[in-house]
């Protein structure tokens, strides 16, 4: 009698522990700046804002996915385009936060800037619960971004030569119009055709806008797409030369191109939405 | 013969193949579908906007991505939405003057409660809105009453992000005055609850004078800040739309096309949002409307010449607004102070003499509207509203003449949430008490009657597609 009572107690405690441990995924937290994101709150927001595209299971198969090109990200695989971490690694919380804040101008993924910072941090916490990788893998160290070299004519010239040498043109085309010989054949990791970025259009990059972002794009690659990481192929000095050259290809860029020193000023300028969401999200 | 049959067969096969190859139609005729976003992305509970929706609207119905210009849409895409509300409702009003014996007025009159109920529907909104081009947006809203007679609720073009700054947007046409708490997007639908008293208030005496006055056009229509106006608006907003302003120059004609009045009204509003930790965005704002209306008209053989108003007299409304979020609970609050010039308040032509002792009426009013958004699919709503006269037209009038108490509550349930269409089951009860505002009995010597109590019960389906 006494024993069975105890057993019942133990079972109860166990059940409680399990209940506490079961939704460990939901208890997952995210820290960005001074804010702590909670997946349980993020879940509510996800249902309201994101589920139609990214799907209830986070597999990118929401009810709207069929209508959308490029397809919404599948969070389950843990493969993300915009990272500060090396290719193949998971993005940092901050990377995901920036993607959610910035949106992807040339896709259906909107900028979620009107949501509060807290809400965006909560969303990131929830997005991370879809992939076990975030629980299993240790976060990788971000790729360092050394200070920018002088953007002079020589640097641009060297960059132009690297553009040839590194075969960027094979995908992006001789003038960066996204029309290289392999452009038509490219597919992403889900088998969908994916056009290389067209520099002449001058639209914002998916993964940022500043020269630092561009440097990072070259050194991390866009995982899940044919755009590779050049971390092992380029020295930092070469990468900066490429950055300076690539800027000259953006002939139709409507916005002033930010350079290292104009960056601060650039952030405080008020310009139409869509071309400059980068940066201000960092303001806490 | 056989050859012909074969040709036909081939044709059938080719056509069949063509049809089966056809892409699924992207051309689903509604504005919201353009971006593949669910209603809940822009609406706290439709039609009420959330922070994302406010920003979307402020940008000129644009997300700021490459899908904004209609040139990127499937050519058959047509940005149209319809909204209809079939319903059952019950309306009840106290103290209605009726003949004691129906059909025999000679036997005297008495007060009676008047109640009606039955199935109904509230008209149709056919709303087209979107972009004409990147950074040029538009809206056109022909709206009908239940008998099918249409008016244009709004019709405007807006030039967005002029000079490449989001602080300069110019709207031209007929539009809603930009205010933090929009009556057009309220979550109440019934006859008594479906509008804000303070957005349309007219003092009792003023309404009485107008009703018995020589001609309603002489004094312009009753003014309401909830009514869409004709004019031009300059507005702007910060990137997340937490900071917003609007100034507008409007025709003094209460948004009635075809009735220019040769004078202009002005509107200004400003509001600011603050992020408060885990609670959400809190917004505070203020607004002011300064207007004038003619008190008499040029006449031809005695009848007024439309559009040639004279003797304009002024009025204003000024107020404070707030939107407060405590997680799933939110409060929309409005305070309004109103004042009408004594000539407007007594319906007197500016070249005639005023009733003895008359003064320009003024009043204060406001409401607290509470929403509990249990989930994007279920919202409970409640509102308490009061209007109090601060100065009656005649000092001898009772202090509370024309004061209003109003109360509503209800719930809206959205059985599904998608990016294609919306359906809400709407139930609501609302009650309005207007002090001493019932018509007096013909035998009475008092110019005003007892309190008027009116209530509505509403059960309906609100759908938009």
């Amino acid at each position: 009698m006494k024993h069975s009572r105890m057993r019942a107690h133990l079972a109860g405690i166990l059940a409680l522990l399990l209940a506490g441990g079961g939704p460990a995924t939901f208890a997952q937290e995210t820290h960005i700046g001074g804010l702590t994101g909670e997946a349980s709150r993020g879940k509510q927001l996800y249902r309201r804002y994101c589920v139609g595209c990214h799907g209830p299971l986070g597999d990118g198969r929401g009810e709207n996915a069929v209508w959308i090109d490029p397809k919404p990200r599948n969070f389950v695989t843990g493969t993300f385009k915009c990272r500060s971490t090396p290719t193949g690694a998971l993005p940092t919380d901050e990377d995901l936060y920036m993607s959610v804040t910035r949106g992807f101008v040339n896709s259906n993924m909107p900028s979620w800037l009107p949501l509060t910072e807290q809400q965006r941090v909560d969303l990131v916490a929830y997005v991370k619960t879809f992939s076990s990788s975030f629980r299993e893998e240790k976060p990788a160290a971000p790729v360092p971004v050394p200070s920018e070299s002088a953007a002079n004519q020589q640097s641009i010239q060297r960059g132009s030569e690297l553009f040839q040498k590194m075969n960027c043109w094979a995908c992006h085309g001789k003038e960066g119009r996204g029309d290289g010989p392999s452009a038509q054949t490219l597919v992403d990791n889900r088998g969908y055709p994916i056009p290389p970025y067209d520099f002449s259009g001058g639209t914002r990059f998916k993964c940022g806008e500043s020269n630092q972002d561009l440097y990072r794009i070259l050194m991390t690659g866009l995982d899940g797409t044919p755009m590779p990481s050049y971390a092992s192929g380029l020295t930092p000095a070469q990468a900066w030369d490429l950055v300076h050259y690539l800027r000259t290809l953006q002939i139709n860029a409507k916005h002033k191109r930010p350079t290292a020193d104009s960056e601060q000023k650039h952030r405080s300028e008020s310009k139409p939405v869509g071309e400059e969401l980068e940066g201000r999200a960092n303001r806490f | 013969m056989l050859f012909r049959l074969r040709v036909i067969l081939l044709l059938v096969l080719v056509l069949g193949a063509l049809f089966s190859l056809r892409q699924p139609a992207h051309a689903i005729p509604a504005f919201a579908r353009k971006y593949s976003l669910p209603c809940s992305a822009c609406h706290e509970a439709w039609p009420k906007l959330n922070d994302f929706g406010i920003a979307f609207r402020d940008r000129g119905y644009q997300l700021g991505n490459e899908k904004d210009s209609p040139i990127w849409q499937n050519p058959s895409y047509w940005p149209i939405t319809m909204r209809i509300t079939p319903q059952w409702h019950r309306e009840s009003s106290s103290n209605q003057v009726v003949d004691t014996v129906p059909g025999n007025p000679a036997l005297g009159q008495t007060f009676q409660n008047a109640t009606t109920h039955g199935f109904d529907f509230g008209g149709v909104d056919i709303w087209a809105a979107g972009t004409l081009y990147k950074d040029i947006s538009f809206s056109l809203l022909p709206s009908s009453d239940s008998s099918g007679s249409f008016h244009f609720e709004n019709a405007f073009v807006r030039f967005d992000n002029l000079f490449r700054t989001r602080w300069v947007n110019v709207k031209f046409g007929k539009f809603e005055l930009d205010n933090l708490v929009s009556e057009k997007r309220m979550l109440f639908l019934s006859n008594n609850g479906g509008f804000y008293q303070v957005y349309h208030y007219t003092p009792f005496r003023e309404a009485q004078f107008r009703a018995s006055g020589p001609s309603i056009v002489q004094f312009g229509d009753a003014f309401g800040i909830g009514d869409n106006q004709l004019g031009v608006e300059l507005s702007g907003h910060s990137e997340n739309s937490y900071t917003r302003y609007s100034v507008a120059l409007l025709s003094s004609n209460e948004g009635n096309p075809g009735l220019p009045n040769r004078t202009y009204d002005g509107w200004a509003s400003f509001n600011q949002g603050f992020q408060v930790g885990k609670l959400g965005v809190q917004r505070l704002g203020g607004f002011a409307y300064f207007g004038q209306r003619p008190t008499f008209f040029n006449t031809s053989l005695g009848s007024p010449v439309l559009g040639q108003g004279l003797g304009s007299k002024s009025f204003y409304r000024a107020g404070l607004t707030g939107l407060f979020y405590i997680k799933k609970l939110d409060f929309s609050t409005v305070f309004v102070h109103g004042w009408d010039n004594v000539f407007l308040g007594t319906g007197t032509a500016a070249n005639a003499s005023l009733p003895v002792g008359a003064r320009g009426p003024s009043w204060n009013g406001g409401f607290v509207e509470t929403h509990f958004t249990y989930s994007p699919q279920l919202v409970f709503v409640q509102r308490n509203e009061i209007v109090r006269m601060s100065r009656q037209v005649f000092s001898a009038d009772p202090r509370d003449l024309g004061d209003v108490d109003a109360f509503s509550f209800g719930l809206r349930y959205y059985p599904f949430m998608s990016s294609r269409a919306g359906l809400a089951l709407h139930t609501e009860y609302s009650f309005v008490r207007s002090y001493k505002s019932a018509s007096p009995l013909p035998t009475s010597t008092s110019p005003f009657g007892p309190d008027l109590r009116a209530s509505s019960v509403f059960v309906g389906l609100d759908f938009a597609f």
Side-chain angles (χ1 to χ4, degrees):
Chain A
M1 177 70 198
K2 224 178 177 181
H3 260 115
S4 70
R5 208 124 109 295
M6 192 135 108
R7 236 180 272 147
H9 270 301
L10 276 175
I13 290 169
L14 205 69
L16 270 177
L17 279 176
L18 279 177
T25 43
F26 296 133
Q28 207 154 327
E29 287 185 355
T30 293
H31 300 276
I32 298 172
L35 300 177
T36 304
E38 256 169 47
S40 55
R41 283 197 302 265
K43 184 179 182 179
Q44 313 265 331
L45 296 163
Y46 184 88
R47 295 247 165 108
R48 171 181 280 278
Y49 296 107
C50 325
V51 76
C53 289
H54 292 287
L57 305 174
D59 56 4
R61 295 166 73 168
E63 60 182 16
N64 288 309
V66 281
W67 308 98
I68 291 176
D69 175 32
K71 296 295 173 203
R73 187 73 65 256
N74 174 352
F75 299 136
V76 179
T77 60
T79 306
F80 290 89
K81 287 188 181 176
C82 300
R83 289 160 295 104
S84 58
T85 52
T87 180
L90 290 172
T92 64
D93 290 355
E94 177 110 4
D95 291 339
L96 290 172
Y97 176 83
M98 290 301 289
S99 297
V100 171
T101 302
R102 200 195 284 130
F104 291 73
V105 271
N106 33 20
S107 86
N108 277 67
M109 167 75 183
S111 155
W112 297 100
L113 181 81
L115 273 54
T116 65
E117 284 156 5
Q118 179 66 50
Q119 287 171 323
R120 280 172 274 152
V121 175
D122 289 340
L123 278 163
V124 168
Y126 185 61
V127 163
K128 285 170 64 186
T129 63
F130 289 117
S131 172
S132 56
S133 313
F134 283 102
R135 264 164 281 144
E136 289 153 8
E137 288 174 30
K138 283 232 147 58
V143 169
V145 182
S147 57
E148 184 172 354
S149 60
N152 51 31
Q153 207 49 52
Q154 290 87 324
S155 171
I156 292 172
Q157 179 58 36
R158 288 193 299 270
S160 144
E161 284 155 18
L162 284 164
F163 194 75
Q164 296 299 318
K165 200 178 125 209
M166 304 305 291
N167 280 342
C168 309
W169 59 273
C171 296
H172 290 281
K174 293 260 181 250
E175 279 135 26
R177 291 179 183 275
D179 56 357
S182 349
Q184 295 294 322
T185 63
L186 302 176
V187 288
D188 67 11
N189 58 348
R190 292 162 80 184
Y192 293 106
I194 181 169
Y197 178 77
D198 172 2
F199 288 89
S200 68
T203 47
R204 212 185 61 203
F205 305 117
K206 294 205 162 158
C207 303
E209 185 186 31
S210 69
N211 282 1
Q212 279 70 15
D213 294 327
L214 187 46
Y215 179 96
R216 207 177 286 118
I217 287 165
L218 301 181
M219 295 311 226
T220 63
L222 268 61
D223 284 1
T225 83
M227 173 65 200
S229 155
Y230 288 91
S232 51
L234 293 171
T235 66
Q238 286 176 319
W240 279 122
D241 290 340
L242 255 176
V243 166
H244 298 146
Y245 172 66
L246 296 178
R247 288 301 190 189
T248 66
L249 298 176
Q250 291 182 298
I251 46 176
N252 289 324
K254 286 181 222 120
H255 52 90
K256 205 172 92 232
R257 287 162 209 146
T259 56
D261 28 297
S262 74
E263 174 117 304
Q264 214 39 53
K265 182 165 162 284
H266 172 79
R267 283 182 183 179
S268 55
E269 269 171 35
S270 54
K271 294 207 271 85
V273 186
E275 282 146 15
E276 32 104 45
L277 297 169
E278 151 71 337
R280 77 192 37 82
N282 262 332
R283 68 192 144 195
F284 32 74
Chain B
M1 184 62 200
L2 208 80
F3 174 69
R4 238 164 94 208
L5 206 94
R6 246 187 249 154
V7 169
I8 289 170
L9 241 166
L10 200 78
L11 252 171
V12 167
L13 276 175
V14 169
L15 281 177
L18 269 179
F19 278 111
S20 59
L21 277 178
R22 229 182 45 176
Q23 284 284 312
H26 284 98
I28 300 147
F31 168 55
R33 279 152 240 179
K34 179 173 170 183
Y35 293 102
S36 291
L37 288 169
C39 311
S40 62
C42 284
H43 299 277
E44 198 71 54
W46 68 265
K48 181 180 183 279
L49 293 176
N50 60 25
D51 297 324
F52 188 79
I54 291 173
F56 177 74
R57 180 178 175 270
D58 283 352
R59 287 177 198 155
Y61 307 128
Q62 301 183 102
L63 282 180
N65 65 21
E66 294 188 341
K67 317 256 168 181
D68 289 335
S69 177
I71 196 76
W72 300 109
Q73 301 300 313
N74 184 308
S76 47
Y77 168 81
W78 205 40
I80 197 120
T81 287
M82 297 208 189
R83 184 179 175 193
I84 311 171
T85 313
Q87 61 195 252
W88 178 91
H89 65 136
R90 176 186 184 278
E91 310 294 339
S92 170
S93 302
S94 71
N95 295 325
Q96 302 297 304
V97 178
V98 294
D99 294 338
T100 317
V101 178
N104 199 342
L107 293 179
Q109 282 75 35
T110 178
F111 285 123
Q112 206 180 68
N113 285 354
T115 301
T116 61
H117 48 83
F119 299 99
D120 214 341
F121 79 94
V124 183
D125 283 348
I126 305 178
W127 189 41
T131 51
L132 298 172
Y133 195 68
K134 178 92 185 161
D135 284 341
I136 302 178
S137 49
F138 76 98
S139 173
L140 177 65
L141 176 48
S143 182
S144 88
D145 60 18
S146 48
S147 73
S149 86
F150 274 87
H151 70 283
F152 288 95
E153 183 67 19
N154 72 40
F156 64 80
V157 169
R158 183 177 186 258
F159 298 93
D160 313 304
N161 301 317
L162 282 173
F163 310 112
R164 307 191 56 71
T165 159
R166 58 184 102 76
W167 295 102
V168 183
N169 303 276
V170 173
K171 197 184 265 184
F172 194 87
K174 182 174 177 182
F175 49 81
E176 181 185 8
L177 299 174
D178 188 89
N179 207 349
L180 213 47
V181 181
S182 164
E183 190 185 49
K184 309 286 173 203
R185 298 179 179 281
M186 65 166 14
L187 297 174
F188 296 88
L189 294 173
S190 75
N191 282 356
N192 282 300
F195 65 97
Y196 294 136
Q197 301 282 341
V198 288
Y199 278 17
H200 299 274
Y201 186 74
T202 305
F204 179 81
R205 281 289 193 183
E206 189 170 335
Q208 205 177 38
F209 275 119
R210 247 191 231 149
S212 61
S215 158
I216 194 85
V217 280
Q218 270 197 311
F219 310 108
D221 279 316
F223 170 74
I225 28 180
D227 295 327
N228 291 358
Q229 306 289 336
L230 276 158
V232 55
E233 180 206 49
L234 170 69
S235 66
H237 59 98
S238 62
E239 188 172 19
N240 55 14
S241 274
Y242 289 1
T243 309
R244 312 171 65 255
Y245 82 89
S246 152
V247 290
L249 181 72
L250 307 150
S251 272
S252 309
N253 62 359
E254 188 56 3
N256 285 309
L259 279 176
N261 245 340
R262 304 195 298 189
T263 56
Y264 295 91
D265 297 356
W267 163 261
S269 73
F270 173 83
N271 47 75
Q272 175 68 49
F274 308 90
Q275 299 185 39
V276 180
K278 287 165 190 153
L279 301 183
V281 181
Q282 321 296 323
R283 296 180 192 251
L284 289 173
F287 63 85
Y289 190 104
F290 179 82
Q292 43 192 329
R293 291 288 180 270
T295 54
F296 63 104
F297 280 76
N298 256 336
T299 54
S300 171
L301 298 173
S303 27
V305 183
L306 276 187
Q308 297 208 12
L310 296 168
S312 285
K313 292 294 170 190
S314 55
F315 65 92
Y316 73 80
R317 309 283 183 268
L320 298 170
T321 47
L323 290 183
F324 304 102
Y325 279 83
I326 304 177
K327 298 184 176 177
K328 289 181 172 187
L329 200 63
D330 74 273
F331 304 94
S332 299
T333 57
V334 171
F335 165 79
V336 185
H337 175 71
W339 170 83
D340 285 354
N341 178 281
V342 58
F343 284 93
L344 296 175
T346 54
T348 311
N351 60 357
S353 52
L354 286 164
V356 179
R359 311 172 300 178
S362 68
W363 63 94
N364 298 304
F367 59 83
V368 177
E369 184 175 296
T370 313
H371 310 115
F372 179 72
T373 312
Y374 174 76
S375 80
Q377 287 176 245
L378 180 62
V379 57
F380 298 86
V381 297
Q382 180 273 351
R383 185 170 84 242
N384 272 70
E385 189 165 5
I386 56 168
V387 182
R388 294 286 176 268
M389 288 299 295
S390 52
R391 191 162 69 168
Q392 299 284 4
V393 169
F394 298 111
S395 54
D397 282 348
R399 281 183 67 95
D400 61 355
L401 175 64
D403 284 359
V404 177
D405 292 346
F407 172 73
S408 305
F409 65 87
L411 71 84
R412 269 169 86 82
Y413 170 63
Y414 306 82
F416 62 88
M417 197 45 65
S418 92
S419 319
R420 296 291 182 264
L423 169 68
L425 297 156
H426 184 108
T427 61
E428 179 184 331
Y429 171 80
S430 63
F431 171 81
V432 179
R433 173 180 176 192
S434 309
Y435 289 75
K436 303 191 171 53
S437 302
S439 300
L441 286 177
T443 47
S444 162
T445 52
S446 163
F448 18 82
D451 293 355
L452 194 63
R453 289 164 208 266
S455 68
S456 305
V457 178
F458 182 107
V459 182
L461 295 169
D462 190 12
F463 69 100
F465 58 91

